[in-house]
Amino acid sequence: MVSWHLRHLATFGLVTDADGATSMRERWWQAAARGFRFTLPDDAEGQAAARQLRGEMFARYADAPQRWLLHDEPRLDAEWRGLAGVADTRFVATPDELRHLEEAIEELLAPYVRRKDDETTPDGAQPVRMLRYLLPESSDFSSTS
């Protein structure tokens, strides 16, 4: 049953074959990318699915900062602890400006995301997770801070 789901994910380009199978009956899979973005479809069914996916992602990562604080942060050296951060930045933007900002962030991150763990990674590098949410607020932005 799992193999059906993995083959289905492969049709969308989310997983690919991985090396390591030891027999013809074995098939190993790997994620096709280190993250993903999705756009909100135009149709009602697609919008409902996107909303559900967003909800699942928010729920899955809601406790990630607290888990990091309890489990990872204590094991980091001072330099890495000092580079970790939290930002809550509120700004005013048009839809086009927000789209441009998201594209610029993706472009800035791309060289780091595309690095292979075992190839061009410089000495001293380690995995970093960036959680970022773009959450447009209601149009009455002047009444809250």
Side-chain angles (χ1 to χ4, degrees):
M1 190 66 169
V2 171
S3 63
W4 180 89
H5 290 287
L6 288 167
R7 284 192 311 273
H8 193 66
L9 290 172
T11 65
F12 295 101
L14 297 174
V15 297
T16 60
D17 285 304
D19 295 333
T22 57
S23 71
M24 293 299 288
R25 294 184 46 86
E26 234 179 48
R27 188 169 183 183
W28 289 34
W29 299 89
Q30 64 186 5
R34 294 183 182 208
F36 68 94
R37 288 176 31 186
F38 64 94
T39 57
L40 192 63
D42 292 332
D43 62 289
E45 184 178 4
Q47 289 180 12
R51 190 166 206 276
Q52 185 174 356
L53 178 57
R54 281 182 179 156
E56 291 296 323
M57 290 178 69
F58 286 155
R60 179 177 180 170
Y61 295 110
D63 68 339
Q66 189 66 29
R67 282 194 327 262
W68 175 85
L69 189 64
L70 294 173
H71 301 289
D72 293 313
E73 193 265 353
R75 295 191 304 234
L76 295 173
D77 65 32
E79 181 179 17
W80 281 104
R81 278 196 313 271
L83 291 169
V86 175
D88 180 3
T89 306
R90 191 162 181 269
F91 57 93
V92 177
T94 67
D96 284 340
E97 290 169 332
L98 196 56
R99 189 175 301 107
H100 175 73
L101 178 61
E102 179 65 8
E103 290 168 359
I105 291 170
E106 287 293 315
E107 187 176 327
L108 184 64
L109 289 173
Y112 305 98
V113 172
R114 289 186 187 124
R115 260 185 199 158
K116 299 294 181 194
D117 293 331
D118 57 350
E119 292 176 2
T120 60
T121 304
D123 291 340
Q126 67 184 57
V128 175
R129 177 175 303 270
M130 174 187 273
L131 301 175
R132 87 181 173 262
Y133 303 113
L134 293 176
L135 305 172
E137 298 177 350
S138 65
S139 60
D140 185 18
F141 62 85
S142 60
S143 64
T144 59
S145 301

